[in-house]
Amino acid sequence: MINLSISKIKNQSILPGFGLSLGFTMLYISFLVILPLSMVFFHTVSMGWKDFWDTISEPRVIASYKLSFGASFAAAFINVIFGVLIAWVLVRYHFPGKRIVDGLVDLPFALPTAVAGIALTSLYTPNGWIGQFLGFKVAFTPIGIIIALTFIGLPFVVRMVQPVLQNIDQEMEEASASLGASRLHTFIKVIFPELLPAILTGFALAFSRALGEYGSVVFIAGNMPMRTEITPLLIMTELEQYDYAGATAIATVMLIFSFILLFVINLLQWWTNKKFVHN
């Protein structure tokens, strides 16, 4: 059976040479992904269990974990709500300047993260264009961190949902409306099930991007230990002090939790795909 499957793959392959293509793919992934990640675990193992536990259980480190994961989750959740709304407007409506708005969605991809951080900080400081009109402090607080992470993660949700919306047959919506269903009921029963896998994928991408973000956050965060210090900044601090083992220990915990969360999200995505396909 295995030989037949491989032969089938070879016959259907567009690129010549299945073995060569697969070998190059595995070599490429090994050098860019597997080898760097394995070095993180290698440096961590060299420090011993007691030193590892003492490093990752420091109150300052625990506080950075809570802030990084909490702010990343909040930003990804906000992006899901507004990302779906933006994708809906771009797909279902025609208005002047639509191409410009569609292009602006990708701006966080092209804009250097440090520039984004400086721009957001200047806007939301107490004397900034936006911050001076707010009744509460945004810059140098967890709220500012969430805003920065929302800014850099929005395109992932929009670009995942947008093509799915374009491919949805509007005749299904018309049939639902003709049967007496309200707009809300049509969205929940007809449109949302089609969008859910793309929404989950966009959430996972936005969450992963926010979790490792450094440049756009370091300026607006204020970097106050136990309050606004994110984990990537703490890792950089350990590296600047030449504590490579401590930096890799903190990074290992981030890596493990990220793998677990992404596995859960991918499992949930697989379950929703299987459920709606069978239905």
Side-chain angles (χ1 to χ4, degrees):
M1 288 294 295
I2 297 177
N3 292 331
L4 291 175
S5 299
I6 295 177
S7 300
K8 187 177 181 181
I9 293 174
K10 289 181 179 180
N11 294 330
Q12 294 180 351
S13 177
I14 298 175
L15 295 176
F18 170 74
L20 181 62
S21 302
L22 179 61
F24 178 78
T25 301
M26 296 305 300
L27 180 66
Y28 189 81
I29 293 176
S30 298
F31 272 102
L32 291 184
V33 179
I34 298 177
L35 186 60
L37 294 182
S38 64
M39 293 305 297
V40 172
F41 289 101
F42 175 77
H43 283 290
T44 303
V45 171
S46 65
M47 67 185 303
W49 171 253
K50 184 179 183 302
D51 293 335
F52 172 76
W53 180 255
D54 291 340
T55 300
I56 66 172
S57 61
E58 290 182 5
R60 182 179 176 184
V61 177
I62 297 297
S64 73
Y65 284 143
K66 292 179 179 179
L67 178 61
S68 292
F69 281 97
S72 298
F73 185 89
F77 183 77
I78 294 172
N79 279 328
V80 164
I81 297 174
F82 291 98
V84 172
L85 180 61
I86 293 172
W88 182 276
V89 171
L90 292 175
V91 172
R92 294 300 178 92
Y93 299 103
H94 298 280
F95 52 90
K98 177 180 176 179
R99 292 180 179 271
I100 298 176
V101 175
D102 189 48
L104 288 175
V105 171
D106 294 325
L107 183 62
F109 285 151
L111 191 68
T113 55
V115 176
I118 295 173
L120 290 173
T121 304
S122 62
L123 285 175
Y124 288 101
T125 53
N127 297 324
W129 289 359
I130 298 178
Q132 62 180 329
F133 299 108
L134 300 176
F136 54 91
K137 189 175 181 181
V138 174
F140 317 126
T141 66
I143 299 176
I145 296 175
I146 293 175
I147 290 176
L149 297 181
T150 303
F151 173 80
I152 57 99
L154 179 64
F156 292 100
V157 179
V158 177
R159 294 313 183 202
M160 288 303 302
V161 174
Q162 192 173 0
V164 178
L165 268 175
Q166 291 173 341
N167 292 329
I168 291 179
D169 189 359
Q170 295 192 25
E171 292 182 358
M172 297 173 59
E173 302 174 41
E174 295 173 359
S176 176
S178 64
L179 293 174
S182 64
R183 291 184 178 181
L184 180 61
H185 191 268
T186 299
F187 179 81
I188 294 175
K189 294 296 184 179
V190 177
I191 301 175
F192 184 73
E194 297 289 335
L195 297 180
L196 185 56
I199 291 174
L200 291 175
T201 303
F203 176 87
L205 292 174
F207 177 80
S208 303
R209 178 71 175 86
L211 198 58
E213 179 60 21
Y214 175 78
S216 63
V217 179
V218 68
F219 295 102
I220 199 171
N223 309 322
M224 292 177 283
M226 305 294 295
R227 293 182 59 189
T228 61
E229 188 177 46
I230 59 174
T231 304
L233 175 64
L234 195 57
I235 294 173
M236 288 296 300
T237 303
E238 296 291 336
L239 291 174
E240 290 174 354
Q241 297 174 357
Y242 302 100
D243 185 8
Y244 299 112
T248 53
I250 299 172
T252 299
V253 175
M254 287 280 288
L255 191 60
I256 292 174
F257 274 101
S258 299
F259 275 140
I260 294 174
L261 288 173
L262 289 177
F263 175 77
V264 172
I265 293 173
N266 287 328
L267 188 64
L268 182 60
Q269 183 184 9
W270 170 82
W271 177 79
T272 53
N273 276 327
K274 183 179 178 180
K275 178 181 178 181
F276 291 122
V277 167
H278 287 171
N279 289 341

